[in-house]
Amino acid sequence: MNTARLKIELLCRGVRTEENIDRGRKGGAGPTGGRYFTLPDETCIEIPLQGKFVESSPFRLVQANGNWRILQGARSLVEVKPVPRPRFYEKTTSDDTLMRKVAVLHGKDCLTSTVYSKCIYWSNGKQCKFCGIELWHSDRLIKKQPRQLVEVAEEAFKEGAAKHITLTTGTPPGQDKGALMLAEATRAIKEHVDMPVHVQLEPPENTKFLEKLHHAGVDTVGIHIESFDQKVLSDVCPAKFNVQDYFK
């Protein structure tokens, strides 16, 4: 099957395996429950390796002669390569915080951190239905400090594990929707590490906050409308139901 179809199948069905392999995080922001692999065309995919639905997957991951392959029945579909676990995961920042609690690798070379791991919509029951941002506070930092992010970014860059950075945030109270925290973090990182920084947030109430991101050195901004269908959006994202805010 073509690469697009293969990736969709693997993302949705996962892969069964009896091999001794790190199966990834059980929870947290971003893709969880699996490992990142590269395909022969060098594209990257996070393949679920744990979870109830994986038990009925038609796909199996096997290792032979040092190579990893995905099988469907007896047929070999594709050879894959696990993305190595970064060395900085076992290191700590100057304030003795595990670096993997500050930022993690997404894909094969993107350093990613949720700068603020709370969201105002959880306090009024209007959180997005797909969101798990406040489910993992027992073992996560609520707010990542700029100095912590800088130290992890420096280590990931020096190791060669990361080539670019994505910073996300839950929505705090206030008009900026997290833009000020993202700007502060970006400015600190850019002063020490030469890597592109992408940030994600919902539309601020005033575009001046987007200008602050620009002046802080942010390279790209993601403002993600989750659905163009107003009915779907109001059901899944009850606090973000106004499509026009995103278009504006």
Side-chain angles (χ1 to χ4, degrees):
M1 64 183 77
N2 65 42
T3 299
R5 182 69 193 183
L6 175 65
K7 292 178 77 169
I8 292 169
E9 291 281 348
L10 295 176
L11 283 166
C12 293
R13 299 176 183 271
V15 171
R16 295 177 287 119
T17 187
E18 297 178 359
E19 304 288 352
N20 182 22
I21 186 174
D22 179 1
R23 301 184 184 220
R25 300 177 298 148
K26 289 187 176 181
T32 58
R35 280 285 301 273
Y36 290 102
F37 295 83
T38 53
L39 300 175
D41 64 358
E42 293 301 315
T43 60
C44 192
I45 178 176
E46 192 265 352
I47 302 177
L49 299 175
Q50 54 185 318
K52 194 69 177 175
F53 73 101
V54 172
E55 297 174 8
S56 59
S57 172
F59 307 114
R60 290 188 301 123
L61 177 68
V62 299
Q63 185 183 31
N65 302 319
N67 297 318
W68 295 88
R69 301 196 71 84
I70 292 176
L71 308 182
Q72 185 174 16
R75 182 165 63 101
S76 176
L77 285 183
V78 68
E79 185 173 312
V80 296
K81 294 180 180 179
V83 174
R85 180 181 174 88
R87 295 191 301 275
F88 75 83
Y89 275 18
E90 310 309 320
K91 299 180 180 181
T92 58
T93 62
S94 58
D95 64 0
D96 208 31
T97 301
L98 270 173
M99 288 190 172
R100 66 174 180 269
K101 301 288 186 182
V102 177
V104 296
L105 200 66
H106 281 195
K108 57 184 177 181
D109 57 15
C110 181
L111 184 67
T112 306
S113 180
T114 302
V115 176
Y116 181 65
S117 297
K118 285 183 70 68
C119 182
I120 190 173
Y121 303 130
W122 280 69
S123 64
N124 58 19
K126 291 186 176 182
Q127 69 268 29
C128 299
K129 288 185 177 179
F130 54 77
C131 181
I133 196 169
E134 293 203 11
L135 297 179
W136 310 100
H137 285 167
S138 61
D139 64 348
R140 290 172 64 203
L141 303 172
I142 301 300
K143 185 177 185 300
K144 316 294 173 47
Q145 300 303 315
R147 183 67 241 168
Q148 293 173 322
L149 291 165
V150 167
E151 291 179 13
V152 178
E154 286 181 317
E155 198 65 33
F157 181 72
K158 182 173 66 176
E159 180 185 329
K163 296 180 180 178
H164 55 118
I165 300 170
T166 291
L167 301 177
T168 66
T169 180
T171 300
Q175 293 185 342
D176 72 289
K177 307 297 186 183
L180 296 179
M181 280 188 285
L182 293 171
E184 179 186 32
T186 299
R187 186 177 294 107
I189 291 169
K190 287 283 191 171
E191 288 176 355
H192 294 83
V193 186
D194 183 20
M195 281 199 287
V197 175
H198 169 75
V199 303
Q200 299 175 2
L201 73 168
E202 69 167 301
E205 294 180 20
N206 190 312
T207 55
K208 70 180 181 182
F209 295 113
L210 297 180
E211 294 294 333
K212 289 185 180 296
L213 292 173
H214 171 67
H215 292 306
V218 168
D219 294 275
T220 55
V221 177
I223 296 178
H224 299 162
I225 184 166
E226 308 299 347
S227 174
F228 291 104
D229 185 316
Q230 184 76 58
K231 188 174 181 180
V232 171
L233 187 64
S234 61
D235 176 50
V236 178
C237 307
K240 303 177 182 178
F241 62 88
N242 191 348
V243 173
Q244 294 308 314
D245 286 347
Y246 286 82
F247 290 154
K248 181 181 177 181

